[in-house]
Amino acid sequence: MAIFITSIQSVLAIVIMIAVGYITQGLGWFKESFSGSISKIIMKVALPCSIFVAMLKYFHPEQLANLSTGLIYVVLAILLGYVVSWIEVKLFRVKKGRRGLMMTGINGANTVFIGMPLNIALFGEISVPYLLVYYIVNTIIIWTLGVWVIAADDPTAKDGSKAKFDWHHLIPAPLWGFIVAIPFLYILWLQEHLLVNFVQTTLTDLGALVTPLALIYIGIMLRSFGLKNMHFDKDVILTLVGRFVISPLIMAAIIFVGFKVGVSMVPTFSKTLIVQAATPSLAVLPILAQTYHGDVKFATNIVVSTSVLFIIVIPIIMLIMG
């Protein structure tokens, strides 16, 4: 019960910061372009700094073997999730234009804007290297398989649509925080001579912007989408079940099987992967829907619904995990 109360408090802290964005957007404080600007600051400045600092502070080279195990788990979990979601859309006869969106909505996580603040609130900054494992795999699969699945479901294409991959998505700005940190981890001279006090202070302070800015951004977007437009038809309910029940169950099952065959993980790592498997669907889903002529309202509804309901789901998952 103590864990449940702690998770409730962590989620409430997140909800309050989201509410700040939601309320101030409703008061008309921000111009239409503000959400795009704040998103760029988070993605291209604050998040790379946060990841860089967290890697130097909490990551040790001997952890690489453990992280590689988690990477394999995430790949298996997401790919298996796509198989299960494909069966789901076939079984329940989801109409064209929604199938790809549902499959990617179930398996694609909003790791940056909700996943990272949530994970830090629940497990502390020590969990950032573990979260990065999920983030890297999730990003690569979404911008390859996920985009292809949505493009192939384009209702306007007679012979299926070929996805136009934008390869820079495979190495987004946040990953550069991880990439740049690697030589600093192995070459101590770089830390001693380049990371002088004012540099460390600057990077730490910029990285600290991630949580409040990301959550305020989510509040702004929720207000812009309009909570009153949230509704639950059959396809939305199927997506919610897939995202909040099936996805974390698949991840938990894979971790359990690994444990049974002698592949162990630190508890924070396994809990991080399970929580990330139940975070809201990726925020760019409506953009992908519009690009490939899918059901934009359905995609928007998935984003809004999962972004609101995770507040209830995460404390339950934390209670189950113990």
Side-chain angles (χ1 to χ4, degrees):
M1 185 57 68
I3 295 173
F4 181 74
I5 294 173
T6 300
S7 62
I8 286 287
Q9 291 178 344
S10 298
V11 170
L12 283 176
I14 290 171
V15 170
I16 290 171
M17 284 186 274
I18 291 175
V20 170
Y22 186 89
I23 293 170
T24 51
Q25 173 70 9
L27 294 173
W29 285 15
F30 310 123
K31 293 183 179 179
E32 191 173 329
S33 61
F34 179 76
S35 60
S37 300
I38 198 173
S39 174
K40 289 179 180 178
I41 291 175
I42 295 166
M43 289 292 291
K44 297 184 178 182
V45 179
L47 196 51
C49 291
S50 176
I51 291 172
F52 179 84
V53 171
M55 286 295 293
L56 294 185
K57 189 174 182 180
Y58 298 109
F59 180 79
H60 304 287
E62 57 269 20
Q63 287 180 297
L64 276 178
N66 192 17
L67 290 183
S68 63
T69 300
L71 188 142
I72 295 171
Y73 284 0
V74 178
V75 171
L76 290 175
I78 296 179
L79 292 181
L80 184 56
Y82 266 99
V83 173
V84 173
S85 60
W86 178 80
I87 295 172
E88 188 177 3
V89 300
K90 291 294 184 181
L91 184 63
F92 291 95
R93 298 180 180 180
V94 178
K95 67 180 182 180
K96 195 173 182 64
R98 286 189 172 191
R99 300 169 190 166
L101 294 171
M102 180 182 291
M103 292 170 65
T104 300
I106 288 172
N107 296 288
N110 189 346
T111 312
V112 172
F113 293 106
I114 291 185
M116 179 166 283
L118 176 65
N119 225 73
I120 292 173
L122 293 174
F123 309 119
E125 289 188 350
I126 195 172
S127 67
V128 170
Y130 307 136
L131 180 141
L132 278 175
V133 171
Y134 194 95
Y135 173 67
I136 291 169
V137 175
N138 185 72
T139 298
I140 292 173
I141 292 180
I142 289 307
W143 291 104
T144 50
L145 176 62
V147 172
W148 179 83
V149 166
I150 293 173
D153 191 46
D154 188 336
T156 66
K158 295 181 180 179
D159 301 320
S161 175
K162 293 183 179 180
K164 297 179 181 178
F165 294 117
D166 190 349
W167 293 102
H168 82 271
H169 284 301
L170 299 182
I171 309 181
L175 283 189
W176 283 108
F178 171 79
I179 293 169
V180 174
I182 295 298
F184 284 84
L185 290 169
Y186 288 92
I187 306 173
L188 294 180
W189 182 90
L190 293 176
Q191 291 192 42
E192 294 172 357
H193 292 82
L194 296 183
L195 298 181
V196 292
N197 287 338
F198 85 92
V199 175
Q200 289 184 341
T201 300
T202 301
L203 293 175
T204 301
D205 289 347
L206 285 172
L209 294 174
V210 171
T211 297
L213 285 184
L215 295 175
I216 289 172
Y217 171 82
I218 288 294
I220 292 171
M221 297 310 296
L222 287 177
R223 179 73 187 197
S224 300
F225 286 147
L227 293 181
K228 63 181 180 181
N229 295 324
M230 186 172 63
H231 62 278
F232 302 99
D233 60 20
K234 172 180 69 75
D235 293 344
V236 172
I237 293 172
L238 288 173
T239 307
L240 292 174
V241 171
R243 185 67 204 144
F244 289 141
V245 179
I246 296 175
S247 180
L249 278 178
I250 290 174
M251 180 63 75
I254 290 174
I255 292 172
F256 178 77
V257 171
F259 177 78
K260 285 297 183 181
V261 299
V263 182
S264 61
M265 303 175 72
V266 296
T268 302
F269 198 177
S270 59
K271 289 180 180 180
T272 291
L273 297 185
I274 294 171
V275 166
Q276 291 306 309
T279 50
S281 299
L282 67 163
V284 298
L285 199 63
I287 298 173
L288 293 174
Q290 188 170 29
T291 302
Y292 296 106
H293 310 102
D295 191 331
V296 178
K297 288 184 178 180
F298 172 69
T300 302
N301 202 14
I302 290 174
V303 173
V304 174
S305 300
T306 55
S307 297
V308 171
L309 293 179
F310 92 99
I311 297 168
I312 301 171
V313 171
I314 294 302
I316 296 174
I317 290 177
M318 290 295 294
L319 179 63
I320 294 171
M321 289 193 301

